[in-house]
Amino acid sequence: AKFGIYFSDPTGKTSLVTKNCITALVPIPDKNQGMTFINNNPVKLFELNQEKLGKEVRDVIPDYKTRNLLPTPGGLIYDENMIYFYGSDLEKETKWTVGKVVAYDLNGKQKFVLGGKHDPNRSPGYLAGAADVAVTRDYIFVFDMNIRLIHIFNKQDGKFIDRIDTDKLFDGQRGVHLMTYVDNNVLAIVRATKPTDPDKVFMLHL
């Protein structure tokens, strides 16, 4: 489906900002602002007025030609003044698909990158893909749908902590979505492979 971003002024008059397909819209509740990106365009910061998208404030992260990371990102998460941009990319040197999570502050300064390099040995911390991400008080959980692992990294510096084999935990299912819960808990919502089977919810804790 195609969606548009509209600016609504105090009189109620609206004007179209863009008619492209929105990939993600993430609110920043403590600042009454929200971020959005559209395909490989810049991540933009907007004001939020009475739960409506207001005027554009500025670009937070430049477009793919400038940022040189994740030309086709899959998602965006905001947590405690940090932005986590994630998805899969093709490594130019090896032509292998790799997963990446790129952490930025709200000024668009890059802090660290998780993954992004092919590793035939699949060493701890290697991401073959990044389908979903959850950020807790201390950790970053990344679901890698290609090699069916959940990787856990330190939230402060991006260092690898641990990983979970989802083949054993989720019976090989790939439709896994992560959701941040209280403290360092994460809920893993697993879609059933058959329409007649129920979905499953697991709680992950460190």
Side-chain angles (χ1 to χ4, degrees):
K2 292 288 183 179
F3 299 91
I5 297 179
Y6 291 84
F7 165 64
S8 180
D9 67 18
T11 67
K13 180 182 178 181
T14 60
S15 56
L16 182 65
V17 177
T18 178
K19 59 182 179 180
N20 292 320
C21 184
I22 300 171
T23 307
L25 177 61
V26 180
I28 307 176
D30 54 330
K31 298 182 182 295
N32 289 323
Q33 295 176 332
M35 289 180 296
T36 183
F37 74 94
I38 302 166
N39 298 327
N40 51 23
N41 292 293
V43 175
K44 294 183 178 291
L45 190 67
F46 288 86
E47 290 182 354
L48 291 178
N49 300 316
Q50 297 179 346
E51 300 180 352
K52 294 181 180 180
L53 205 61
K55 68 179 181 180
E56 180 182 333
V57 178
R58 58 184 169 86
D59 288 358
V60 182
I61 303 172
D63 65 18
Y64 78 100
K65 294 178 182 177
T66 308
R67 65 178 176 248
N68 198 32
L69 286 167
L70 283 176
T72 53
L76 178 72
I77 288 178
Y78 167 79
D79 178 78
E80 294 184 350
N81 294 318
M82 290 292 293
I83 306 165
Y84 301 91
F85 215 26
Y86 65 90
S88 300
D89 195 9
L90 188 67
E91 191 180 46
K92 294 179 180 178
E93 294 80 8
T94 63
K95 306 301 181 186
W96 280 87
T97 299
V98 292
K100 288 181 184 177
V101 180
V102 189
Y104 296 89
D105 63 20
L106 272 180
N107 294 318
K109 182 179 180 181
Q110 183 183 309
K111 294 298 185 179
F112 56 80
V113 179
L114 307 179
K117 295 183 178 179
H118 176 61
D119 181 0
N121 298 318
R122 298 184 177 180
S123 304
Y126 161 65
L127 296 176
D132 205 4
V133 173
V135 181
T136 70
R137 184 185 62 205
D138 300 307
Y139 304 109
I140 303 169
F141 289 69
V142 183
F143 173 56
D144 186 334
M145 70 291 190
N146 290 336
I147 54 177
R148 298 175 299 284
L149 293 172
I150 292 177
H151 307 263
I152 305 166
F153 300 89
N154 186 293
K155 180 179 172 180
Q156 301 303 318
D157 54 19
K159 290 184 179 178
F160 175 79
I161 300 292
D162 203 354
R163 60 186 179 184
I164 302 169
D165 186 343
T166 63
D167 270 348
K168 296 178 181 178
L169 189 62
F170 304 143
D171 300 324
Q173 290 159 299
R174 291 172 178 256
V176 178
H177 299 279
L178 303 180
M179 185 173 70
T180 303
Y181 198 50
V182 295
D183 298 325
N184 283 317
N185 298 314
V186 167
L187 297 179
I189 303 167
V190 184
R191 291 179 301 183
T193 53
K194 297 179 181 179
T196 54
D197 293 340
D199 294 340
K200 300 177 183 178
V201 178
F202 296 82
M203 181 177 288
L204 311 177
H205 176 74
L206 277 183

